[in-house]
Amino acid sequence: NNTIDKNIELIKIAKKLECDKYILPLFEESELNISNYKEFIDNINLIAKYCEESKITLCLETILKGKDLLFVLSKLESKNIKVVFDTGNRISFGHNIYDDIRILKDKIEHIHIKDKNIDNENVILGTGLVNFLEVFKALKKNNYKKSFTFETRRGSNPLNTCKFNIDMINFLYLEAYNGV
């Protein structure tokens, strides 16, 4: 109950701030998986109701594979529930992230751009396991034009790393979307 109350308070604050997305991370002690999803349904529906009343989209961030996540979404009442797609977390759990993007299609509301190495450590974009060109090609096929957040290592010079990340994503976007 305390967790639900805190989420409701955060949704009220998000409404005042005119946020349009509320991300609910479901990891670790709160991990949503295919064997326990029924335990989460009522609470997610309750949080979704408050989001909907506030004109905010509820975005679930999970490590469920695409097909399993679609299944769970089909069991929820609200159509106001979408997905956060985290490239680094998905690759570190052995997902075929390109297939997941294609499966989840319009359920993806927000993307965390992150790269991870074989030791599950966040690394500078392009130095880990994620093939970002394939990610952007899959997003192009889905006609994705929504938001991204960088969740990357800062490197030794955060401003240079930021510029590098922006240049890399611009290149990948052009490469994937224009087939240069």
Side-chain angles (χ1 to χ4, degrees):
N1 287 342
N2 190 29
T3 301
I4 296 298
D5 291 341
K6 286 182 191 249
N7 276 277
I8 291 168
E9 285 303 311
L10 287 171
I11 293 165
K12 289 176 182 175
I13 293 167
K15 180 180 179 180
K16 288 179 184 177
L17 294 172
E18 299 180 7
C19 296
D20 61 352
K21 294 176 188 72
Y22 183 77
I23 298 174
L24 186 62
L26 297 168
F27 302 116
E28 298 170 2
E29 293 85 27
S30 300
E31 182 180 330
L32 173 69
N33 59 54
I34 203 64
S35 60
N36 72 0
Y37 77 91
K38 290 179 183 175
E39 299 169 29
F40 286 80
I41 296 292
D42 290 341
N43 290 332
I44 292 172
N45 280 329
L46 181 61
I47 292 169
K49 177 183 148 231
Y50 281 95
C51 282
E52 199 164 345
E53 289 171 358
S54 299
K55 296 182 175 33
I56 296 172
T57 301
L58 175 59
C59 299
L60 304 181
E61 186 176 8
T62 77
I63 55 169
L64 284 167
K65 291 185 179 181
K67 286 187 341 186
D68 293 337
L69 187 48
L70 275 183
F71 172 78
V72 170
L73 289 172
S74 75
K75 300 299 180 189
L76 296 165
E77 294 170 3
S78 177
K79 301 301 175 214
N80 190 46
I81 302 172
K82 300 286 184 169
V83 173
V84 171
F85 193 92
D86 186 307
T87 58
N89 289 348
R90 288 187 169 274
I91 202 80
S92 70
F93 280 93
H95 292 225
N96 183 324
I97 61 176
Y98 327 105
D99 287 347
D100 279 356
I101 290 169
R102 297 292 296 136
I103 289 166
L104 292 167
K105 295 182 185 177
D106 63 339
K107 299 294 184 192
I108 300 173
E109 185 69 17
H110 185 68
I111 296 176
H112 289 167
I113 298 291
K114 180 181 352 182
D115 207 352
K116 288 198 174 197
N117 64 18
I118 197 161
D119 296 321
N120 196 31
E121 299 167 324
N122 287 0
V123 294
I124 292 176
L125 295 183
T127 65
L129 301 172
V130 177
N131 180 330
F132 285 101
L133 183 55
E134 292 300 315
V135 166
F136 277 87
K137 284 181 179 179
L139 292 172
K140 177 187 178 192
K141 288 181 181 177
N142 287 358
N143 199 29
Y144 183 83
K145 295 185 181 180
K146 297 179 182 175
S147 59
F148 297 88
T149 297
F150 287 97
E151 289 190 341
T152 63
R153 295 290 305 255
R154 291 184 296 251
S156 58
N157 183 322
L159 292 176
N160 287 343
T161 303
C162 179
K163 183 179 177 346
F164 169 81
N165 288 344
I166 291 169
D167 289 345
M168 180 180 178
I169 296 305
N170 284 333
F171 170 77
L172 292 169
Y173 181 85
L174 288 173
E175 203 52 38
Y177 279 72
N178 296 326
V180 174

